[in-house]
Amino acid sequence: MILKRLFPTRWAKILAWTGASLAWGTTLIAVAANAAATDAAQLPEPPVATDAPTTTTVATTTTAPMPDMPEHGLVVVRYTPVPPPPPQVVTRTVVVAGPSGGGGGGSAATATAPAPAVSAPVKSSGS
């Protein structure tokens, strides 16, 4: 059924766009590779010697964010995680002094007393 929808002119359009996109992609990759090769080939010019002696000292310390790239192959960047810090001990002290006026009104002794045991089920008076 799909072959009925892809008549010859449509096949020609699909093949033309595919060929054009492959050609453009290949051209862009070739230009980028050529530009990288020419940038690497350009070396800085040596300083011109003069009769007057000049002394210039520049001290810089920088660290490379990435290792130097090899000519061929992959760069392996190793990551060593830092161990987590030890857990902190949190001590929380709560002091209860008398009734708080929050509606409870009872003392700490009554709040911690066990509930009375129920010997027989309570019957409902009905609703």
Side-chain angles (χ1 to χ4, degrees):
M1 180 181 282
I2 196 164
L3 293 177
K4 292 180 183 178
R5 299 176 85 193
L6 295 175
F7 38 90
T9 55
R10 192 163 185 183
W11 276 108
K13 290 178 184 178
I14 291 171
L15 291 176
W17 279 108
T18 303
S21 63
L22 288 174
W24 291 334
T26 305
T27 303
L28 291 175
I29 291 172
V31 168
N34 190 19
T38 56
D39 289 344
Q42 294 177 353
L43 298 175
E45 297 180 9
V48 179
T50 60
D51 293 337
T54 58
T55 304
T56 304
T57 304
V58 178
T60 59
T61 304
T62 58
T63 57
M66 290 285 290
D68 293 334
M69 298 293 288
E71 290 185 28
H72 302 288
L74 298 173
V75 174
V76 177
V77 179
R78 295 187 179 175
Y79 170 72
T80 306
V82 178
Q88 296 178 343
V89 177
V90 178
T91 305
R92 187 174 188 184
T93 306
V94 178
V95 178
V96 179
S100 62
S107 65
T110 59
T112 58
V118 178
S119 59
V122 178
K123 293 187 179 183
S124 175
S125 62
S127 16

